[in-house]
Amino acid sequence: MIDQELPSLLQTYRAFHEAPELSTKEEKTSATLAAQLRALGYKVEERVGRYEEPGTTCYGVVAMLKNGDGPVVLVRADMDALPIEEETSLPYASRAHGVMHACGHDVHMTTLIGTASVLARTKDRWRGTVMLVGQPAEEMTKGAAAMLRDRLYERFARPDYAIAMHDNASLPAGVVGYCPGYFMAAADAMNIRVRGVSGHGAAPHTTKDPVVLASQIVIGLQTIVSREISPIDSAVITVGSIHGGTKRNIIPDEVQLQMTARTYKPKVRERVLASIERIVRGMAAAAGVPAARAPGIAHLKDPSGPAPDNDPALPEPRAAALERELGKEQVVKIDPLAVSEDFGLFGLDRAIPACMLNVGAVDPARIAAGTPLPSLHSSKFAPEPEATIRGGVEGMVACVLELLR
Ligand SMILES: [Zn+2]
Ligand SMILES: [Zn+2]
């Protein structure tokens, strides 16, 4: 069935890839996805979701297929692209200036359509309800929250399971990867304003130098993971941007730091956030910065929510089903990633077993030649579409059938 579908799925994939839309702007993408799912016999609703900002439209898509009594399985695909100028020189490269499907969400949508089609044609093999979700604004980690805020589960159905698939830039195309337990991190983003007292570079004793202080803070923050977190747990803190000053002989007023913290367990997350606060404030006090010039710490909105946590009951038994359907060599156990996702929100803090699988996107010839694919979010990210989509659909269908047998 999937082989029959592939030519049309590849055409759909190339169309999505050519016309990417940024987070929260997925107007045409969502309409295409909705139209295709409707044509397959699903009951489809568009513009599901509500952002907190007034006057904005949320382009969430929900497509339902009820087939007798049984569990409800939510299958989610994200729809948004990234602000990147594509450099793949593919014939179907992005035609939108400075916008690119560099995270493979076009693969995810195509996989969702393929899965929808196979499930619609195999209704004699399952019982229950398939609830397909086209989620906007994943890259801003605000689409899942927006759809839940719009009473997704009250209006359509409360799922018994939630599953999703993300492409993977290191696995061979079509190979399905699964990871029991935490498989992605909770991401927190912070801006820190390190304030001092400015003055002449030749008279530091009359100032409070925020450049030196900011440097100490950057190093101090790195001791959180190495000295405060159990070696069995993991976390990562990166200060990715540091800006301050205008001229070599002026001690400036302030330095801006931008940082991200990635954690898995909620307790570790709490500890990391509290330690960041303590170190930043404590170091400023130790440097003699007056209280009125204490650092400002802004925890940016739209954090990822909890770290996506694959329900232990889901991946392992499903892996057996996947191996049966796809073959043993096509299914591998993978390590967690420190990237983040808002898919975890669909699990309502573990009330609903949720599981995200990966599908490899790399042409095996590239792996053999030792020239791996550039990572997700690279301007040169170019999945091998045919095998990736085939593997994605196979994996998704096997997973849904296993849950709705
Ligand atoms: Zn991404
Ligand atoms: Zn992504």
Side-chain angles (χ1 to χ4, degrees):
M1 270 186 199
I2 297 169
D3 281 341
Q4 270 173 25
E5 296 280 318
L6 261 179
S8 107
L9 289 175
L10 285 168
Q11 203 178 342
T12 301
Y13 168 73
R14 289 190 287 261
F16 278 137
H17 192 85
E18 270 182 359
E21 291 174 301
L22 288 173
S23 306
T24 75
K25 311 266 188 269
E26 309 87 346
E27 185 174 3
K28 294 190 182 109
T29 304
S30 62
T32 306
L33 180 65
Q36 293 230 20
L37 296 174
R38 206 170 273 129
L40 292 169
Y42 286 70
K43 195 162 173 273
V44 180
E45 194 137 346
E46 293 177 64
R47 306 202 172 188
V48 179
R50 189 155 40 83
Y51 296 121
E52 274 173 323
E53 299 81 356
T56 48
T57 306
C58 182
Y59 294 106
V61 175
V62 179
M64 306 290 288
L65 187 64
K66 199 167 158 41
N67 184 30
D69 293 333
V72 179
V73 177
L74 181 154
V75 185
R76 178 273 220 164
D78 37 15
M79 306 187 290
D80 50 333
L82 287 158
I84 294 175
E85 186 71 43
E86 180 160 351
E87 294 180 304
T88 60
S89 57
L90 286 166
Y92 52 89
S94 168
R95 290 166 192 266
H97 181 63
V99 187
M100 175 188 177
H101 268 300
C103 201
H105 298 185
D106 45 1
V107 171
H108 307 166
M109 288 185 282
T110 311
T111 298
L112 191 75
I113 293 167
T115 303
S117 168
V118 175
L119 290 172
R121 292 192 288 149
T122 50
K123 280 167 104 176
D124 55 324
R125 286 188 54 188
W126 58 275
R127 281 275 168 279
T129 300
V130 175
M131 176 177 181
L132 308 178
V133 170
Q135 186 208 303
E138 186 282 324
E139 296 291 356
M140 297 171 86
T141 58
K142 58 195 279 188
M147 292 187 81
L148 292 166
R149 189 179 297 122
D150 201 17
R151 300 172 54 250
L152 175 69
Y153 292 170
E154 291 79 8
R155 286 170 59 192
F156 299 93
R158 185 189 154 102
D160 297 289
Y161 305 99
I163 57 176
M165 188 170 265
H166 205 294
D167 59 354
N168 178 307
S170 46
L171 290 177
V175 168
V176 174
Y178 71 97
C179 174
Y182 290 107
F183 68 98
M184 281 192 184
D188 287 280
M190 271 154 282
N191 287 345
I192 300 173
R193 219 174 131 203
V194 180
R195 300 189 291 178
V197 176
S198 62
H200 200 293
H205 56 293
T206 66
T207 74
K208 297 294 172 200
D209 186 345
V211 172
V212 171
L213 175 55
S215 311
Q216 289 173 326
I217 288 173
V218 171
I219 302 298
L221 292 176
Q222 291 308 325
T223 63
I224 297 174
V225 175
S226 62
R227 302 290 83 185
E228 297 190 39
I229 302 301
S230 156
I232 309 305
D233 290 327
S234 62
V236 58
I237 294 175
T238 292
V239 178
S241 162
I242 172 164
H243 284 273
T246 52
K247 193 166 185 287
R248 74 184 76 249
N249 62 354
I250 301 171
I251 292 170
D253 254 332
E254 65 176 59
V255 172
Q256 306 270 1
L257 304 177
Q258 292 184 7
M259 59 173 299
T260 180
R262 308 286 168 110
T263 51
Y264 297 89
K265 293 181 183 167
K267 271 207 151 29
V268 174
R269 185 183 196 183
E270 269 169 43
R271 174 71 188 258
V272 164
L273 297 180
S275 298
I276 290 170
E277 183 105 16
R278 189 194 76 238
I279 286 175
V280 171
R281 297 202 186 287
M283 283 188 151
V289 171
R293 302 280 299 154
I297 304 175
H299 197 161
L300 302 188
K301 267 183 64 168
D302 303 317
S304 63
D309 182 9
N310 279 337
D311 190 283
L314 273 182
E316 303 269 34
R318 291 336 133 196
L322 288 171
E323 283 178 1
R324 257 196 330 270
E325 290 293 328
L326 280 72
K328 236 182 163 44
E329 65 296 337
Q330 288 295 102
V331 183
V332 293
K333 194 166 169 173
I334 54 172
D335 288 332
L337 308 166
V339 294
S340 73
E341 251 287 348
D342 60 1
F343 171 68
L345 293 175
F346 288 111
L348 301 183
D349 206 8
R350 303 185 194 195
I352 297 167
C355 174
M356 178 177 256
L357 299 170
N358 268 206
V359 62
V362 194
D363 187 344
R366 276 186 94 131
I367 295 181
T371 50
L373 204 59
S375 71
L376 299 174
H377 290 206
S378 154
S379 59
K380 296 194 168 67
F381 175 69
E384 197 290 288
E386 191 170 326
T388 305
I389 291 164
R390 181 191 280 116
V393 176
E394 273 179 335
M396 265 316 191
V397 168
C399 210
V400 174
L401 287 181
E402 172 69 11
L403 293 166
L404 292 182
R405 264 198 310 194

